[in-house]
C-alpha cells in the first residue's frame, strides 16, 4: 500500500488515520498513479493515487494539495469534489495502517513534475509515477489501489462526479 509518513495524533479519528487522496486527471482524461513497493522488497509492488495523512489542523483539501505537490511536484491543479470515501487497513513497512480516505477529483494541464517533498520512507518505497488511460488501467495486471479503480474511473468519465461522495467497500489487506 502507499508509503506515508507517521501519523500525528491529531490526524487520527476513532483510531483511523484521516487521509486525503487525489484522482488527478490530465486533459486526455489519463489518471496519475504512483508506483509503490515495500521498502525492503521492491518485488512487492502496487499502484496508487497520490495523497496522504492530514498534518496539524489542515483540512482534507489542504492535505490533498500539499501531498500532491510533495509526491509529484504538480501544483497547477483545480481541486474538485470528493468522489469516494473508503476505509482500509493494510500492512506496510512493518506496521498496520488503518485509514479513512477521501478521494478528491482534480484536473491539471501540468503533466510533468518532480517529487521534491518525499519523506525518507517514501524515498525508499516510491519508484515513480505514470499517467494511465482508463483502457490501460482496465487491462492492467498490476495491483492497483483502491481495487476496482478502473471501473470507478470509467464511471466517473462516463457520468461525471457523483452528486455526493460514494462510500467504497472497506478494504483489508
Amino acid at each position: 500500500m502507499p508509503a506515508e509518513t507517521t501519523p500525528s495524533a491529531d490526524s487520527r479519528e476513532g483510531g483511523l488515520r484521516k487521509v486525503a487522496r487525489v484522482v488527478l486527471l490530465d486533459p486526455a482524461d489519463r489518471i496519475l498513479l504512483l508506483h509503490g513497493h515495500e521498502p525492503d522488497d521492491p518485488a512487492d509492488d502496487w499502484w496508487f493515487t497520490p495523497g496522504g495523512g492530514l498534518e496539524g489542523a489542515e483540512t482534507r483539501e489542504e492535505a490533498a494539495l500539499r501531498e500532491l505537490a510533495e509526491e509529484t511536484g504538480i501544483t497547477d491543479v483545480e481541486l474538485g469534489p470528493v468522489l469516494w470515501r473508503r476505509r482500509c487497513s493494510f500492512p506496510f513497512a512493518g506496521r498496520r495502517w488503518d485509514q479513512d480516505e477521501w478521494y478528491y477529483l482534480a484536473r491539471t494541464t501540468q503533466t510533468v513534475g518532480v517529487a521534491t517533498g518525499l519523506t525518507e520512507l517514501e524515498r525508499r518505497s516510491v519508484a515513480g509515477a505514470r499517467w494511465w488511460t482508463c483502457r490501460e488501467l482496465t487491462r492492467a495486471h498490476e495491483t492497483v489501489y483502491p481495487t476496482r479503480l478502473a471501473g470507478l474511473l470509467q464511471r466517473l468519465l462516463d457520468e461525471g462526479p457523483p452528486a455526493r461522495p460514494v462510500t467504497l467497500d472497506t478494504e483489508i489487506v
Side-chain angles (χ1 to χ4, degrees), residues 31-171:
I31 185 172
L32 182 67
L33 297 179
L34 302 179
H35 189 205
H37 59 82
E38 274 293 330
D40 298 323
D41 185 6
D44 184 2
D45 68 331
W46 54 86
W47 292 88
F48 64 102
T49 58
L54 278 63
E55 292 182 356
E58 74 183 344
T59 66
R60 289 204 197 231
E61 293 87 353
E62 291 166 339
L65 293 172
R66 176 186 50 77
E67 286 284 343
L68 185 63
E70 289 173 359
E71 294 175 349
T72 70
I74 296 175
T75 56
D76 182 18
V77 300
E78 180 183 326
L79 193 64
V82 177
L83 300 170
W84 315 308
R85 291 185 62 181
R86 174 181 85 137
R87 290 192 175 189
C88 61
S89 179
F90 54 90
F92 174 72
R95 63 168 287 226
R96 179 148 290 275
W97 300 76
D98 298 310
Q99 300 190 156
D100 174 30
E101 300 180 335
W102 291 17
Y103 289 78
Y104 287 86
L105 174 61
R107 293 264 182 193
T108 189
T109 57
Q110 181 185 350
T111 57
V112 177
V114 178
T116 58
L118 297 179
T119 66
E120 186 272 332
L121 179 58
E122 288 169 331
R123 284 191 298 276
R124 293 188 305 128
S125 61
V126 176
R130 176 182 161 199
W131 291 95
W132 295 71
T133 66
C134 192
R135 185 176 184 156
E136 290 169 333
L137 201 53
T138 300
R139 295 178 173 184
H141 296 290
E142 292 91 345
T143 300
V144 177
Y145 294 107
T147 58
R148 300 182 18 248
L149 181 59
L152 293 166
L153 179 60
Q154 187 63 62
R155 185 172 182 181
L156 172 66
L157 296 175
D158 290 346
E159 300 175 12
R164 63 178 188 263
V166 173
T167 301
L168 305 179
D169 292 337
T170 298
E171 290 190 49

